[in-house]
Amino acid sequence: MAKVLTPQNEDFPRWYQDVVTKAEMAENGPVKGQQVIRPTGYALWERMVSGMDDRIKATGTENASFPLLIPHSYLQKEANHVEGFAPEFWTVTQAGGKELEEPVVVRPTSETVIGEYMAKWVQSYRDLPLLLNQWANVMRYEMRTRLFLRTSEFLWQEGHTAHATYEDAHEFTLRILHEVYADFMERDLAMPVLRGLKTVEERFAGALNTFTCEAMMRDGKSLQMGTSHELGQNFSKAFDMQYLGSDGQQHLCWTTSWGTSTRMVGGLIMAHGDDKGLRVPPRLAPVQAYVMSVKDGEGVSEAARALHDELIGSGVRSRLNDRTDVAFGRRAVDAELKGYPVRIEVGPRDLAEGKAVVVRRVEGTKTPVALESVVKVVTEALEADQQAMFDEALRFRADRTVAVKTVDEAIEAAATGFAQLPWDVCGVEGEAKAAAKGVTVRCLQRADGSVPDTDQEPDMVATLARAY
Amino acid sequence: MAKVLTPQNEDFPRWYQDVVTKAEMAENGPVKGQQVIRPTGYALWERMVSGMDDRIKATGTENASFPLLIPHSYLQKEANHVEGFAPEFWTVTQAGGKELEEPVVVRPTSETVIGEYMAKWVQSYRDLPLLLNQWANVMRYEMRTRLFLRTSEFLWQEGHTAHATYEDAHEFTLRILHEVYADFMERDLAMPVLRGLKTVEERFAGALNTFTCEAMMRDGKSLQMGTSHELGQNFSKAFDMQYLGSDGQQHLCWTTSWGTSTRMVGGLIMAHGDDKGLRVPPRLAPVQAYVMSVKDGEGVSEAARALHDELIGSGVRSRLNDRTDVAFGRRAVDAELKGYPVRIEVGPRDLAEGKAVVVRRVEGTKTPVALESVVKVVTEALEADQQAMFDEALRFRADRTVAVKTVDEAIEAAATGFAQLPWDVCGVEGEAKAAAKGVTVRCLQRADGSVPDTDQEPDMVATLARAY
C-alpha cells in the first residue's frame, strides 16, 4: 500500500492534518476558524455524545436549551468572566434589516444567560440542587485555528448546576470530573487522563477552581479534554441567585459549570492514531466491523452480506462495503485510514475454503477464519483491543513522564512528554518562566495522583507539558 | 382540583401559553423571539430527535455538521433564495474586537453553505446519491413570535441530498415525506397528517416543489409540521455542483432539502392537549409512567420504589416521585399538566389492600389495581392509549373537514377547520382572496388524498385553513 500520510515522527502536525483530511473527518469552513464536520468525524462525535449523555443523566442532570445570542449586558455582570471572554466575542449588530438597540454576542459559553434563568427558577431549598446541561454550539474568536482542536465554532456540552452549600457544589464538580468525564475518557475512548486542579493562571474566567482531565498525545503534548469548574458564589452574586433555606433565611446559591467539546475528537485522533491513520477504540467505534467484498461473483457478495447480517444480529456495529466498482486496495487503505477496529475481507479464494480474512487494526494481524467462527473471533477481538489500546496509551504516557527537580529540567523534559515537579519548587514564578518557553502547568495533583480540593493544599505536584 | 389553565374553548392561544408556562416547557429568552426550552419541553424534543434520527438513518442518510455563520455572498448565489430569506437575517459584523471584512449571516437554513461543499465532494456518479443531514440551530428574524411555533431561533434537522437524476431526487423527496416525516408523526406523535404539495405561493424560496405534512390543531387551525423540497437544479447551478457520468459527460446534480423543527413540540401540545394540560402519546413520552408516593410511612415509599423498579425492568420509561414534602394534590396537578400517560398513586389505604391506583391521562380513569398486576395494566394502557389518541385526532379532523364548492364557502368553513375545494375552482386568484381573510391553501392533493408529483396535475384538491 502506498503511503498516504506524512509519518508521525517526521511532522506530527502535518500527520494530523493529513489524517483529518484523508479520512474525511473535517474541513475548514468558509468563515475564519469554522469547520465542517464530515460524516466520518461526526459519527465519532455522535458516539461521544451518547456515551457522555448517559453518564450525565445518571447524575440526575436534565438537558435543556438556552439561546444562542446573549445580551452584552449579561456578559458584563461577572467582571472576570467578561474580561476573559470579551476578546473572543462574535457580535450580532443587525437583525431583520435594522441595527439592534443593544448588540448581542454569540455565546462563547452560557454561565450568564443560564444564571439569569436559574435565579428565576430557584426559590426555595426544595428547588436545589438544580442540575442542567445543554448540547450546543458556541463561538470564540481565535487567531490560529486547527480542525477539532481549536476552532471558532465548536460543538459541546455545558453543564450548569446550582447547589445549597459549598460542600454539595464542590462534591458535584468532582463527581462530574470522575464519574462522567474521566470514566468516559478512560473506558470509552481508551485514553488515560490525569485528573487535577488548574493553577490560578489557567483557571476558567470567573471560577473559584477549575478541575481538568489532561491526556497525552503521541507527540508527548498534553490536551485538555474536559474541565469542571467550581464557580463559588461569583455567578450567584452577579445574578442574585438566592434561595429560601429551611431556616427561613435567604442564601446565595453555589454554582458549577463543566464542559467537553468536539475537541475530544482531535484528542482521540492524536492519542491513538498511527502512520496508517486513525485507530478507533471498539467501544466508541460507530463502525466496529467493516465487511468487504474483495470482488464480484462466486458468491462473494452473498457471503459478505450474510456475515454482515450475522454480526449485526450479534450486536456488533457492522458496515458492509460491497463497492467492487472501486479498487479493493483503495477501499482497504480507506478502512485503515478511518481506523475501523476490525475488517473482514471476503474473497473467492478464501471463500472456497469456507473462510474469510479478519484484519485487526490495532494488532495489525491478518488471519483466515472459518466463516462460522467469524462472529466469535470479531467479538473477542473488539473486547481485547479496547483494553490493548488503553494499556498502550498508559504505557506510552508512563514512558514519557519524568519526575524532575527544577523548572529548567521540567522545560527540557517537556520537549518529549510530561514533567512532574513539586509545586512548591515551581510556583507562580516557575510557571511564568516555563510559559515563556511554551510549557504550561497542566494540573496540580496530590503526591498520590489524587485531586486536591483547593490550591492551598501543601505538597502538591505540578505536571508541566507543552499543550494544544 | 383548582383550574390552572384558561379553558381551550374560552381562549385557545391563552390556553397554549398557559400550558407552555405552567407545565414548565419553555420561556422567552432575553433577546427578541428567542426561547429557553426547559427540561420538560426539551425531553420531548430529545425523543423526537431520536425517533426521527432512526428513520433518517434508515434511508442511508448520514449526519454531519456545517458552520453556523454563512458569508453573505453565498446566500446571494440563488436569487429566489436570498430574496426569500434576506428580511429574516441576523448578521454578525464584528469578531475579535474588529469589524469583519464581509458581514456573515447566522444561518436561516443551510442550502448555500452545504451546496458549496457538496460541489467539492461530488466528482463522479459513484459519489451519488450524497445524503446528508444535520441537527442544528437556525435563526430567522420574526416580528411576532410564539414559543415553539414561531421563534427567532429554533432547533431543527435539515437534510440535504444530491442525486444523479430528476427521478432519483423526486423519489427521495417523497420518501422523506412518507417514510420519515409522516410515519414519525402518525406513529410516534399520534398525529394524523395531510400529505400534499404546496402551491407556488407557499413554496420554499429556491425550490421547484415543496411537499408538506399538515396537521389539524384543536382549534381547527393547521400547523405545517415538516416540509420536503425538491430543489431541481437551482442550487446545483448556483454552486456548480457537477458530476462525471458513466457516459463520460459532466452533468448538473439534482438536489433536495427537508426539515422539521422544535415547532413539532408546539404542534404536539395543540393537537393533543386538553383543559388539564398536555397529553403525551405513550410511544413518544419521555416519562410513560409516573409513580407517586401519596405520603410518607407505612411502607409507601418502599412499595412505590418497588413498582418503579419493576416498570423500568419491564422496559417502561418510569419516573418516581417521592417528594412527600410537596402536597400530593399539587404534584398530581403537575403530572396532569405535563401529560404523563399513566400515573400510579401509592397510598397507605390502597397498599393495605395490596393495591395501587392507576390513573390514565387519556381515558381519565382511576382504577385500583393489585400490585402484582400493575406492570401488565400499565403496559396495556400505554399500547391502547397510543392508538386512542391517534383515533381521536383523526375523528376530530374528519369532523372539522368539509368539502366546499366556492372560495367564499372555504373561507367560512376555515373558521372552524379544513375546507376542501377543487384547485381548478380556487386557483391563484381564489388563493389570494382567501389569504386576504387569513386563510391559506395548506396543500394540494389528488382526489384520493395522495400526493401530486407536480402542480401541473389535473383535478387536484386544495385544503384551505387558517394556520400557525
Side-chain angles (χ1 to χ4, degrees):
Chain A
M1 291 177 191
K3 277 220 167 37
V4 290
L5 303 176
T6 306
Q8 286 190 340
N9 61 14
E10 196 178 302
D11 185 341
F12 195 85
R14 179 111 177 239
W15 167 85
Y16 177 78
Q17 184 58 45
D18 281 358
V19 173
V20 169
T21 307
K22 294 187 177 167
E24 300 176 336
M25 308 283 288
E27 293 190 14
N28 289 313
V31 174
K32 184 175 165 51
Q34 287 203 304
Q35 68 186 340
V36 173
I37 307 179
R38 300 184 69 176
T40 307
Y42 196 81
L44 292 175
W45 175 240
E46 274 185 318
R47 293 277 310 157
M48 290 183 185
V49 169
S50 165
M52 294 276 296
D53 197 63
D54 287 348
R55 287 171 173 86
I56 289 170
K57 285 182 173 142
T59 68
T61 302
E62 295 185 299
N63 286 335
S65 171
F66 290 85
L68 174 70
L69 302 180
I70 302 181
H72 199 264
S73 56
Y74 280 34
L75 287 150
Q76 286 176 307
K77 287 193 184 182
E78 213 290 329
N80 287 323
H81 189 67
V82 71
E83 191 188 322
F85 282 104
E88 302 175 7
F89 287 165
W90 290 77
T91 309
V92 173
T93 58
Q94 301 166 11
K98 279 182 242 146
E99 292 291 315
L100 292 174
E101 287 176 25
E102 182 189 355
V104 290
V105 174
V106 179
R107 63 181 163 220
T109 179
S110 304
E111 278 74 9
T112 56
V113 64
I114 294 181
E116 176 84 4
Y117 283 84
M118 279 189 161
K120 288 169 62 178
W121 298 334
V122 172
Q123 300 295 327
S124 124
Y125 69 94
R126 290 195 184 85
D127 301 321
L128 296 172
L130 178 58
L131 311 175
L132 298 177
N133 178 64
Q134 76 172 351
W135 292 97
N137 53 346
V138 289
M139 290 200 69
R140 300 176 185 178
Y141 186 81
E142 297 281 357
M143 290 302 290
R144 291 193 53 203
T145 61
R146 197 176 298 182
L147 291 166
F148 291 118
L149 299 172
R150 189 170 295 279
T151 47
S152 288
E153 181 187 5
F154 52 91
L155 307 182
W156 79 342
Q157 62 67 219
E158 48 177 323
H160 297 270
T161 69
H163 304 260
T165 63
Y166 164 80
E167 289 73 21
D168 197 49
H170 179 72
E171 194 186 315
F172 198 80
T173 312
L174 288 171
R175 186 173 175 194
I176 293 297
L177 188 80
H178 294 298
E179 292 179 25
V180 177
Y181 290 175
D183 188 75
F184 170 74
M185 292 163 193
E186 300 197 332
R187 281 179 199 262
D188 290 18
L189 303 186
M191 291 173 67
V193 290
L194 295 186
R195 312 168 190 191
L197 178 65
K198 285 286 182 193
T199 62
V200 175
E201 178 66 26
E202 300 281 333
R203 201 179 268 170
F204 177 77
L208 212 62
N209 279 308
T210 290
F211 299 95
T212 183
C213 291
E214 301 280 327
M216 185 185 280
M217 306 293 103
R218 284 166 76 101
D219 59 354
K221 286 195 189 180
S222 185
L223 183 79
Q224 177 180 304
M225 291 281 286
T227 45
S228 184
H229 314 294
E230 201 175 11
L231 302 176
Q233 297 184 314
N234 294 342
F235 287 85
S236 62
K237 266 182 210 142
F239 290 91
D240 195 24
M241 197 189 301
Q242 299 199 36
Y243 70 93
L244 182 69
S246 55
D247 59 3
Q249 306 292 312
Q250 291 288 331
H251 302 269
L252 278 177
C253 294
W254 297 81
T255 69
T256 84
S257 72
W258 27 282
T260 53
S261 74
T262 35
R263 178 165 232 229
M264 285 196 293
V265 178
L268 185 83
I269 297 171
M270 293 196 297
H272 293 310
D274 65 15
D275 287 348
K276 291 179 186 163
L278 186 57
R279 299 188 308 167
V280 184
R283 200 167 295 150
L284 184 80
V287 177
Q288 297 177 306
Y290 194 64
V291 183
M292 303 176 66
S293 305
V294 173
K295 54 175 273 191
D296 254 354
E298 302 175 57
V300 167
S301 289
E302 294 75 8
R305 177 163 293 280
L307 277 177
H308 166 70
D309 289 344
E310 201 189 338
L311 285 162
I312 293 277
S314 306
V316 174
R317 291 186 291 276
S318 174
R319 181 177 291 178
L320 179 66
N321 181 304
D322 205 10
R323 293 294 299 263
T324 49
D325 57 342
V326 180
F328 176 73
R330 198 174 135 195
R331 289 183 289 143
V333 166
D334 189 60
E336 299 265 297
L337 262 173
K338 290 179 177 162
Y340 306 134
V342 177
R343 193 162 87 228
I344 298 120
E345 301 177 353
V346 185
R349 210 164 30 186
D350 295 310
L351 198 57
E353 297 176 20
K355 292 184 176 172
V357 175
V358 173
V359 187
R360 288 170 65 174
R361 182 66 179 84
V362 173
E363 284 202 340
T365 52
K366 292 182 99 163
T367 318
V369 171
L371 293 178
E372 61 273 19
S373 304
V374 166
V375 169
K376 183 165 173 289
V377 167
V378 167
T379 309
E380 287 171 2
L382 295 174
E383 193 72 29
D385 291 347
Q386 179 76 27
Q387 189 61 45
M389 290 181 76
F390 181 82
D391 293 346
E392 185 185 336
L394 194 61
R395 248 187 343 262
F396 184 87
R397 187 181 76 187
D399 289 346
R400 292 203 181 205
T401 300
V402 292
V404 296
K405 297 218 170 81
T406 68
V407 173
D408 286 331
E409 283 172 22
I411 293 168
E412 197 189 324
T416 53
F418 289 179
Q420 298 192 312
L421 178 69
W423 176 237
D424 290 342
V425 175
C426 180
V428 176
E429 280 176 36
E431 188 179 17
K433 182 177 176 185
K437 301 283 184 185
V439 173
T440 48
V441 177
R442 303 315 303 157
C443 65
L444 304 175
Q445 295 176 303
R446 294 187 185 132
D448 64 359
S450 67
V451 182
D453 283 320
T454 76
D455 61 355
Q456 299 306 309
E457 284 196 19
D459 304 324
M460 294 190 293
V461 176
T463 296
L464 288 87
R466 291 168 303 138
Y468 284 92
Chain B
M1 291 180 193
K3 278 217 167 40
V4 290
L5 302 177
T6 307
Q8 286 190 341
N9 62 12
E10 196 177 300
D11 185 343
F12 195 85
R14 179 111 177 241
W15 167 84
Y16 177 78
Q17 184 57 46
D18 280 359
V19 172
V20 169
T21 307
K22 293 186 178 167
E24 300 175 337
M25 308 284 289
E27 294 189 14
N28 289 312
V31 174
K32 186 175 165 49
Q34 286 202 306
Q35 67 187 339
V36 173
I37 307 180
R38 301 185 68 178
T40 308
Y42 196 80
L44 293 174
W45 175 240
E46 275 185 318
R47 293 277 310 155
M48 291 183 184
V49 169
S50 165
M52 295 274 297
D53 198 62
D54 287 347
R55 286 171 173 87
I56 289 169
K57 285 182 173 144
T59 69
T61 302
E62 293 185 300
N63 286 335
S65 172
F66 290 84
L68 173 71
L69 302 181
I70 302 181
H72 199 262
S73 57
Y74 279 35
L75 288 150
Q76 287 176 308
K77 287 193 183 179
E78 213 289 330
N80 288 323
H81 189 68
V82 71
E83 191 189 322
F85 281 104
E88 302 175 7
F89 287 166
W90 290 77
T91 309
V92 172
T93 58
Q94 301 167 11
K98 281 184 239 139
E99 292 291 315
L100 292 174
E101 285 175 27
E102 182 189 356
V104 290
V105 174
V106 180
R107 64 182 160 218
T109 178
S110 303
E111 278 75 7
T112 56
V113 64
I114 294 181
E116 176 84 4
Y117 283 84
M118 280 188 160
K120 288 169 61 178
W121 298 333
V122 172
Q123 300 295 327
S124 125
Y125 69 93
R126 288 192 186 87
D127 302 320
L128 295 173
L130 178 56
L131 310 175
L132 298 177
N133 178 63
Q134 76 173 353
W135 292 97
N137 53 346
V138 290
M139 289 200 70
R140 300 175 185 179
Y141 186 82
E142 296 283 356
M143 290 300 291
R144 290 192 54 199
T145 59
R146 198 176 299 182
L147 291 166
F148 291 118
L149 299 172
R150 189 171 294 279
T151 47
S152 288
E153 180 187 5
F154 51 91
L155 307 182
W156 78 342
Q157 63 65 219
E158 47 178 323
H160 297 270
T161 70
H163 304 260
T165 62
Y166 164 81
E167 289 73 21
D168 197 47
H170 179 73
E171 194 185 314
F172 198 80
T173 311
L174 289 172
R175 185 173 175 195
I176 293 297
L177 188 79
H178 294 299
E179 292 179 25
V180 178
Y181 291 176
D183 188 75
F184 170 74
M185 292 163 194
E186 300 197 333
R187 281 179 199 262
D188 290 18
L189 304 186
M191 292 174 66
V193 290
L194 295 185
R195 312 166 192 194
L197 178 65
K198 285 287 181 192
T199 63
V200 174
E201 177 67 27
E202 301 280 333
R203 203 178 265 169
F204 177 76
L208 213 61
N209 279 308
T210 290
F211 299 95
T212 183
C213 291
E214 301 280 327
M216 184 184 281
M217 305 295 103
R218 284 167 76 101
D219 59 354
K221 286 195 188 178
S222 185
L223 183 80
Q224 177 180 303
M225 292 280 288
T227 45
S228 184
H229 314 295
E230 201 175 12
L231 302 175
Q233 296 183 314
N234 294 342
F235 286 86
S236 62
K237 266 181 210 142
F239 290 91
D240 195 26
M241 198 189 302
Q242 298 198 38
Y243 71 94
L244 182 67
S246 54
D247 59 3
Q249 305 292 311
Q250 291 288 330
H251 303 268
L252 278 176
C253 294
W254 297 81
T255 68
T256 85
S257 70
W258 27 281
T260 52
S261 73
T262 35
R263 179 167 231 230
M264 285 197 292
V265 178
L268 185 83
I269 297 171
M270 293 196 298
H272 292 310
D274 64 16
D275 286 347
K276 290 180 187 162
L278 185 58
R279 298 188 309 167
V280 184
R283 201 168 294 149
L284 183 81
V287 177
Q288 298 177 305
Y290 194 64
V291 182
M292 302 175 67
S293 305
V294 173
K295 51 175 275 189
D296 254 354
E298 301 176 56
V300 167
S301 289
E302 295 75 9
R305 176 163 295 279
L307 277 177
H308 166 70
D309 289 344
E310 203 189 337
L311 286 161
I312 293 279
S314 306
V316 174
R317 293 187 289 278
S318 173
R319 180 177 292 177
L320 180 65
N321 180 304
D322 205 9
R323 293 293 299 261
T324 49
D325 56 342
V326 179
F328 176 73
R330 197 174 136 197
R331 288 184 290 144
V333 167
D334 189 61
E336 299 265 297
L337 263 172
K338 290 178 177 164
Y340 305 135
V342 177
R343 194 163 86 229
I344 298 120
E345 302 177 353
V346 184
R349 214 164 27 185
D350 295 310
L351 199 57
E353 297 175 19
K355 292 182 175 174
V357 175
V358 173
V359 186
R360 287 169 66 173
R361 182 68 179 82
V362 173
E363 284 202 340
T365 52
K366 293 183 97 160
T367 318
V369 171
L371 293 177
E372 61 273 19
S373 304
V374 166
V375 169
K376 184 165 173 288
V377 167
V378 167
T379 310
E380 287 171 3
L382 295 174
E383 193 72 30
D385 291 347
Q386 180 76 27
Q387 189 61 45
M389 290 182 76
F390 182 81
D391 293 345
E392 185 185 336
L394 194 61
R395 246 186 345 262
F396 184 87
R397 188 181 76 186
D399 290 346
R400 293 203 181 207
T401 300
V402 293
V404 297
K405 296 216 170 84
T406 68
V407 172
D408 287 331
E409 283 173 24
I411 293 169
E412 197 188 324
T416 53
F418 288 180
Q420 297 193 311
L421 178 69
W423 176 237
D424 290 343
V425 175
C426 180
V428 175
E429 281 176 34
E431 187 180 17
K433 182 178 175 183
K437 301 282 185 187
V439 173
T440 48
V441 177
R442 304 314 304 159
C443 66
L444 303 174
Q445 295 176 301
R446 294 187 184 131
D448 64 359
S450 68
V451 182
D453 283 321
T454 77
D455 61 355
Q456 299 305 307
E457 284 197 19
D459 304 325
M460 293 190 294
V461 176
T463 297
L464 288 86
R466 292 168 301 141
Y468 283 92

